């Protein structure tokens, strides 16, 4: 992928769409039937499409740099707020058919605690992803000749660690506090199974996205941040 404005905008749009759709479908809990801790693994519906957002920030960070990746994260948060406001606004408008309104409420009704959990997890995990991605990248590139061959390392570590944060924060707030599972000893195994199960899925998705990361970033790389800082100081 060439380092052009159009490609940067395209990556940002894919990021925003995946983020907004993740918030739309997150209320559906998927039952996998896989046993864990005496219960079965359940996953929020957002688990699959949300993984795309981390791939996009990694691609943007690799090609355009840390500042651009963090900018997309902040604009993504704004998109999330706008989408929530539009959904709620539409929800309160009178419907012609009560059944249609009930279906809308079930599908898109915004649970306040889910929104809080989602936005909190988003800001913390995405910011960590950008930070650790470039921290590892800068360290490797500054100490190893031909360090770009190691870009699978910063791609995977940044995504896999940020997914831990995202999983624990979102599920802890939305289900642990929102549903009260954190204070119910009978539901603690379900809470733990959901966290572990979702993270295991995200871990696998992080590994699977590596070929796509290589494909999208081949031949085009942003300069290491340390090099950029030095150049700015010299100027």
């Amino acid at each position: 992928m060439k380092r052009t404005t159009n490609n940067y905008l395209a990556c940002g749009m894919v990021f925003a769409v995946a983020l907004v759709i993740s918030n739309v479908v997150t209320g559906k809990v998927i039952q996998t039937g896989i046993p864990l801790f005496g219960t079965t693994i359940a996953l929020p519906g957002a688990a699959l499409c949300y993984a795309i957002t981390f791939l996009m920030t990694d691609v943007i960070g690799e090609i355009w740099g840390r500042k651009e990746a963090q900018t997309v994260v902040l604009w993504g948060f704004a998109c999330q707020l706008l989408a929530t406001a539009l959904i709620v606004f539409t929800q309160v408008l009178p419907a012609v058919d009560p059944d249609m309104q009930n279906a809308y409420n079930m599908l898109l009704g915004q649970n306040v605690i889910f929104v809080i959990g989602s936005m909190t997890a988003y800001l913390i995990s995405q910011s960590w992803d950008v930070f650790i991605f470039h921290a590892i990248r800068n360290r490797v590139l500054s100490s190893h000749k031909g360090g770009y061959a190691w870009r699978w390392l910063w791609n995977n570590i940044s995504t896999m660690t940020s997914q831990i944060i995202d999983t624990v924060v979102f599920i802890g707030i939305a289900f642990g506090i929102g549903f009260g599972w954190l204070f119910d000893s009978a539901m603690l195994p379900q809470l733990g199974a959901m966290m572990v199960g979702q993270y295991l899925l995200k871990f696998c998705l992080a590994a699977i996205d590596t070929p796509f990361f290589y494909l999208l970033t081949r031949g085009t790389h942003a300069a290491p941040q340390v090099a950029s800082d030095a150049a700015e100081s010299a100027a």
Side-chain angles (χ1 to χ4, degrees):
M1 179 180 287
K2 294 182 179 179
R3 190 179 181 182
T4 65
T5 300
N6 285 341
N7 285 339
Y8 177 61
L9 290 174
C11 289
M13 290 172 65
V14 171
F15 176 92
V17 169
L19 177 63
V20 170
I21 295 300
S22 295
N23 289 317
V24 170
V25 302
T26 194
K28 178 174 180 177
V29 179
I30 302 170
Q31 183 57 259
T32 66
I34 301 173
L36 183 69
F37 302 150
T39 183
T40 53
I41 296 176
L43 304 171
L48 293 174
C49 53
Y50 192 59
I52 297 174
T53 64
F54 289 97
L55 173 61
M56 287 298 101
T57 50
D58 286 355
V59 169
I60 291 170
E62 183 66 23
I63 297 177
W64 286 274
R66 177 178 176 177
K67 180 180 178 181
E68 287 75 6
Q70 189 62 42
T71 297
V72 168
V73 169
L74 295 177
W75 276 110
F77 185 75
C79 289
Q80 201 172 2
L81 289 174
L82 176 60
T84 301
L86 291 174
I87 290 172
V88 172
F89 174 74
T90 305
Q91 184 179 13
V92 299
L93 294 176
V96 173
D97 184 352
D99 291 336
M100 182 186 299
Q101 181 67 36
N102 291 333
Y104 186 97
N105 292 340
M106 289 187 65
L107 179 64
L108 296 175
Q110 298 294 296
N111 185 315
V112 175
I113 196 68
F114 268 61
V115 173
I116 293 174
S118 176
M119 291 186 174
T120 303
Y122 168 81
L123 272 182
I124 297 175
S125 64
Q126 292 283 359
S127 297
W128 170 260
D129 180 66
V130 173
F131 166 76
I132 199 65
F133 178 95
H134 289 278
I136 298 173
R137 183 178 187 270
N138 293 339
R139 178 66 64 87
V140 172
L141 293 181
S142 64
S143 58
H144 291 81
K145 186 176 182 180
Y148 285 113
W150 290 83
R151 63 187 189 276
W152 60 270
L153 183 66
W154 55 77
N155 167 235
N156 281 291
I157 291 180
S158 64
T159 300
M160 290 173 178
T161 55
S162 59
Q163 292 282 30
I164 294 176
I165 297 172
D166 180 73
T167 301
V168 172
V169 173
F170 173 71
I171 294 180
I173 294 176
F175 295 90
I177 297 176
F179 284 10
W181 292 2
L182 192 62
F183 315 106
D184 185 350
S185 59
M187 293 304 297
L188 284 177
Q190 178 69 44
L191 185 67
M194 181 177 282
M195 287 183 178
V196 174
Q198 182 176 351
Y199 178 69
L200 289 176
L201 173 62
K202 290 180 176 179
F203 182 93
C204 293
L205 290 174
I208 292 171
D209 85 3
T210 303
F212 296 98
F213 175 74
Y214 269 72
L215 178 66
L216 293 172
T217 61
R218 69 189 188 283
T220 307
H221 307 285
Q225 189 66 45
V226 287
S228 298
D229 292 343
E232 290 176 3
S233 297

